[in-house]
Amino acid sequence: MDQLIDNLRPQTVCCLINPNDYSQWDIFEIRNETELKKEDEMIRYRDKETTWTEYKKSIEASLRKGYQIHYAPKKIKDELTQTPIE
């Protein structure tokens, strides 16, 4: 049963790549609802709403650098389509 629950969790891994140099990328993932995993750090937040907000901010920062989404959860793609990055 635990494996079934794990498989039902929403996917949160997001990978963005530099379109001019595929060896440069940013990867972000939410773990355990309140932890944000970046390249080489794990940041814990007080609640899942704050974690999600910081996750989106990290993705938006990569987009501002000119990186493009290689893969991301549908929820993120939908939200970014509705709110253009400045």
Side-chain angles (χ1 to χ4, degrees):
M1 183 58 116
D2 289 339
Q3 188 171 6
L4 173 64
I5 299 300
D6 286 340
N7 290 335
L8 292 176
R9 286 189 186 147
Q11 184 59 256
T12 61
V13 177
C14 183
C15 177
L16 300 100
I17 57 173
N18 181 340
N20 301 314
D21 182 353
Y22 290 155
S23 69
Q24 297 177 344
W25 65 85
D26 290 335
I27 296 178
F28 308 105
E29 177 184 11
I30 294 175
R31 295 185 177 173
N32 300 321
E33 295 187 347
T34 59
E35 297 173 337
L36 177 58
K37 172 81 170 108
K38 295 184 178 185
E39 291 293 321
D40 56 355
E41 68 178 322
M42 180 79 78
I43 305 167
R44 181 172 287 226
Y45 296 98
R46 69 180 176 271
D47 56 44
K48 63 183 177 181
E49 289 80 19
T50 303
T51 307
W52 186 259
T53 298
E54 294 303 318
Y55 171 72
K56 278 187 54 184
K57 285 181 185 177
S58 297
I59 293 167
E60 290 168 349
S62 290
L63 291 169
R64 280 192 294 278
K65 288 192 312 189
Y67 284 28
Q68 297 175 342
I69 293 178
H70 182 58
Y71 56 85
K74 183 179 182 320
K75 179 178 179 178
I76 278 292
K77 289 180 180 180
D78 290 348
E79 287 184 23
L80 292 173
T81 302
Q82 295 172 5
T83 310
I85 304 301
E86 298 175 5

